[in-house]
Amino acid sequence: MQKWIFFVLFILAGALGLGVLFQDISDRQEAQEAEAAASKLPQLKVAASNWQFDATDYKVKSGQPTKVSLSLKEGVHAIEIVGLGVKLDKDNPTKEVTFDKPGTYEIDCVLPCGEGHAKMKAKLVVE
């Protein structure tokens, strides 16, 4: 009698384990699909190093969802796109944004980073 109970418990545990395994696989597939969809978005990449950005001007298209990302090459920085409410830092380095208003906006480093901090600016042109 005990052998049958252990046998049934073993089968149930195996079935439960397979269910958890397949659920985990489904969750991973959904995450990969979401990541693939996000990677198809146009990207605005801003790289910050000590007292400068990797470009003085950046361009994006108006009305188009865009993945904005900040990468830190040297030092610790945080940026704000003035007038658009976009703020990125090391803890929140990416954000999906739709730039609705064409114009020129200033990108500022908003985290004091040293002697050249005041000059750490760039322009974003929304076309």
Side-chain angles (χ1 to χ4, degrees):
M1 179 76 175
Q2 269 186 338
K3 289 181 183 179
W4 282 102
I5 292 173
F6 283 123
F7 178 71
V8 169
L9 289 175
F10 179 75
I11 296 297
L12 289 174
L16 181 64
L18 286 175
V20 169
L21 176 67
F22 285 118
Q23 179 63 35
D24 188 45
I25 290 171
S26 296
D27 292 345
R28 275 193 252 146
Q29 286 176 337
E30 289 174 10
Q32 286 175 345
E33 289 170 5
E35 187 177 311
S39 68
K40 292 179 184 176
L41 291 176
Q43 295 191 9
L44 169 61
K45 296 180 180 181
V46 178
S49 59
N50 285 338
W51 313 298
Q52 65 183 2
F53 295 111
D54 63 329
T56 55
D57 297 312
Y58 299 91
K59 292 184 181 181
V60 295
K61 297 211 183 266
S62 175
Q64 189 173 35
T66 304
K67 181 179 178 183
V68 181
S69 63
L70 170 66
S71 64
L72 304 176
K73 302 296 181 190
E74 285 182 306
V76 180
H77 306 278
I79 64 167
E80 177 182 7
I81 302 175
V82 180
L84 297 177
V86 177
K87 294 181 180 181
L88 301 174
D89 58 26
K90 70 175 186 161
D91 295 326
N92 299 303
T94 62
K95 183 174 185 176
E96 186 178 319
V97 180
T98 300
F99 298 101
D100 293 328
K101 298 177 185 176
T104 301
Y105 300 90
E106 194 168 279
I107 301 173
D108 291 335
C109 178
V110 293
L111 183 68
C113 57
E115 62 189 51
H117 170 74
K119 296 178 183 177
M120 195 167 171
K121 299 180 183 299
K123 292 193 190 258
L124 172 66
V125 178
V126 180
E127 300 174 326

